[in-house]
Amino acid sequence: MRKTRPICLLLTAMLFVSSCFTAHAAEAAVPQTEVLRVGFFAFSGYHTIDEEGRRSGYGYEFLQRLAIHGGWAYEYLGYDGSYADALDML
């Protein structure tokens, strides 16, 4: 009985120490969201905005998939202009 007590205390101490490291690692793993500016010009099937303000199209869907993997958010610029206008604004 006396020999198991130091072992239990040692295991308990190791448990407390290891829990501090995992809490710190989980805190460090929280990704930062980076905001990217995107030129979003009117181009049928590629970049569109409907009457209710919802974006759609191949280019938009592609950017949304990239955002999932990169942890990004987008700021869309220049829908009323042309490609050249959007490029100048960026």
Side-chain angles (χ1 to χ4, degrees):
M1 188 71 141
R2 291 225 175 236
K3 289 185 179 187
T4 59
R5 190 171 193 182
I7 293 173
C8 288
L9 289 173
L10 178 65
L11 290 175
T12 303
M14 289 174 55
L15 179 66
F16 283 124
V17 170
S18 67
S19 68
C20 293
F21 290 127
T22 57
H24 179 68
E27 190 175 295
V30 175
Q32 297 289 329
T33 301
E34 185 176 353
V35 178
L36 304 176
R37 296 185 325 164
V38 175
F40 196 78
F41 54 94
F43 186 33
S44 181
Y46 195 76
H47 294 153
T48 58
I49 298 178
D50 65 9
E51 299 81 26
E52 297 170 2
R54 291 184 299 228
R55 293 180 177 88
S56 63
Y58 176 78
Y60 175 75
E61 298 298 328
F62 182 72
L63 289 172
Q64 294 307 305
R65 293 291 180 168
L66 288 176
I68 292 170
H69 297 289
W72 301 316
Y74 297 113
E75 177 185 351
Y76 293 99
L77 304 172
Y79 187 73
D80 295 331
S82 67
Y83 169 77
D85 294 337
L87 191 59
D88 287 340
M89 288 183 357
L90 295 175

